[in-house]
């Protein structure tokens, strides 16, 4: 049975609330998976994804990119998302706090990956662009555009992107730009585009197709299998 442990931590004077998930029945140390949440923060979606990775045999940590002063206030969240997009140093520091906490877990063997959804997908790609030492990063229906394109030979993480073909937040121009960027950087990347899928296709409660956001059970299952295969390659 998966063990759940809420974890309160601090960074630069702000307090954050994350969640560990792991299976204590597994006796050997194992890789850690950082779960990067979407726009709502460390919600049920992020926590459930952490549980699924724990069930698959990893130590998962759903980290908090907002902090207690922002979480729960929609206006503050929207403002803070803009800050994270503009201030890459802040984005990296917030994510690094989660990485450090995950790496310190006694059941983690030193190998780490990050999986981000929506906002978290953008964060995962920015970590790869910055050369953060992770075995791999996964971006699920996240933004592919950036204001700080990767330089050649700077990306050390393997990359998997799971993208909806009908995602209005990730138009074809962004997809093409991402491919060109990754090719120039010499990155080891995979990009899977799912036909018929909109933004937020893994969020079971997403029901706003008029805004291009909708859950898609088939694409959710397919992308989950793709992540599992990716992890088999990262962590043989």
């Amino acid at each position: 049975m998966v063990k759940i442990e809420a974890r309160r931590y601090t960074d630069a004077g702000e307090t954050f609330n994350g969640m560990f998930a792991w299976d204590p029945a597994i006796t050997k140390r194992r890789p850690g998976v950082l779960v990067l949440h979407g726009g709502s923060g460390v919600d049920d979606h992020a926590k459930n994804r952490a549980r699924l990775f724990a069930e698959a045999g990893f130590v998962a940590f759903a980290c908090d990119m907002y902090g207690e002063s922002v979480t729960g206030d929609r206006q503050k969240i929207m403002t803070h998302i803009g800050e994270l997009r503009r201030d890459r140093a802040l984005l990296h520091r917030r994510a690094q706090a989660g990485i450090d906490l995950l790496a310190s877990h006694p059941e983690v063997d030193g190998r780490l990956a990050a999986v981000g959804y929506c906002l978290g997908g953008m964060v995962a790609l920015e970590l790869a662009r910055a050369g953060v030492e992770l075995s791999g990063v996964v971006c699920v229906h996240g933004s592919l555009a950036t204001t700080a394109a990767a330089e050649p030979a700077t990306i050390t993480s393997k990359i998997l992107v799971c993208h909806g073909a009908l995602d209005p937040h990730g138009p074809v121009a962004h997809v093409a730009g991402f491919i060109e960027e990754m090719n120039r950087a010499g990155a080891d990347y995979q990009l899977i585009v799912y036909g018929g899928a909109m933004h937020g296709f893994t969020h079971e409660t997403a029901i706003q197709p008029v805004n291009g956001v909708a859950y898609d059970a088939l694409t959710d299952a397919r992308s989950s299998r793709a992540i599992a295969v990716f992890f088999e390659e990262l962590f043989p």
Side-chain angles (χ1 to χ4, degrees), residues 108-215:
V108 172
D109 65 7
R111 296 176 293 169
L112 301 172
V115 182
Y117 301 85
C118 296
L119 169 70
M122 181 271 289
V123 174
L125 290 180
E126 290 302 325
L127 293 175
R129 289 178 171 114
V132 175
E133 292 188 6
L134 296 165
S135 296
V137 302
V138 182
C139 169
V140 185
H141 46 71
S143 174
L144 306 182
T146 184
T147 57
E151 297 294 331
T154 58
I155 296 178
T156 60
S157 306
K158 294 183 179 181
I159 296 173
L160 170 65
V161 173
C162 299
H163 188 72
L166 302 182
D167 186 343
H169 305 286
V172 172
H174 289 184
V175 175
F178 175 77
I179 291 172
E180 292 176 2
E181 177 196 5
M182 293 297 106
N183 288 343
R184 286 196 305 270
D188 182 342
Y189 75 101
Q190 301 173 52
L191 169 63
I192 305 176
V193 178
Y194 297 96
M198 295 184 181
H199 187 69
F201 56 75
T202 68
H203 285 266
E204 294 87 345
T205 58
I207 48 172
Q208 296 178 333
V210 67
N211 296 321
V213 180
Y215 176 65

Side-chain angles (χ1 to χ4, degrees), residues 8 10 16 32-33 37 47 68 73 90 111 119 122 131 141 148 160 174 198 201 220:
R8 210 161 178 244
T10 60
F16 300 85
V33 175
H37 60 72
K47 292 176 181 178
E68 290 183 351
D73 186 316
L90 173 63
R111 296 176 293 169
L119 169 70
M122 181 271 289
H141 46 71
L160 170 65
H174 289 184
M198 295 184 181
F201 56 75
D220 186 10

Side-chain angles (χ1 to χ4, degrees), residues 10-168:
T10 60
D11 175 61
E14 178 66 273
T15 301
F16 300 85
N17 291 282
M19 188 196 84
F20 273 111
W22 75 99
D23 185 350
I26 299 176
T27 57
K28 64 181 180 180
R29 299 174 74 203
R30 69 215 85 155
V33 175
L34 185 74
V35 177
L36 295 155
H37 60 72
S40 297
V42 186
D43 56 4
D44 288 343
H45 177 271
K47 292 176 181 178
N48 288 335
R49 296 290 149 162
R51 289 187 182 94
L52 290 174
F53 288 123
E55 290 173 357
F58 302 98
V59 175
F61 181 64
C63 74
D64 181 1
M65 294 293 293
Y66 293 160
E68 290 183 351
S69 67
V70 173
T71 299
D73 186 316
R74 179 170 175 75
Q75 187 56 51
K76 287 184 178 180
I77 286 174
M78 298 307 295
T79 299
H80 196 63
I81 289 175
E83 291 174 355
L84 290 172
R85 290 182 182 277
R86 291 189 300 271
D87 189 343
R88 288 300 191 267
L90 173 63
L91 181 149
H92 295 155
R93 196 183 74 234
R94 288 284 171 84
Q96 190 64 51
I99 292 171
D100 292 344
L101 198 55
L102 175 60
S104 71
H105 193 284
E107 300 300 322
V108 172
D109 65 7
R111 296 176 293 169
L112 301 172
V115 182
Y117 301 85
C118 296
L119 169 70
M122 181 271 289
V123 174
L125 290 180
E126 290 302 325
L127 293 175
R129 289 178 171 114
V132 175
E133 292 188 6
L134 296 165
S135 296
V137 302
V138 182
C139 169
V140 185
H141 46 71
S143 174
L144 306 182
T146 184
T147 57
E151 297 294 331
T154 58
I155 296 178
T156 60
S157 306
K158 294 183 179 181
I159 296 173
L160 170 65
V161 173
C162 299
H163 188 72
L166 302 182
D167 186 343

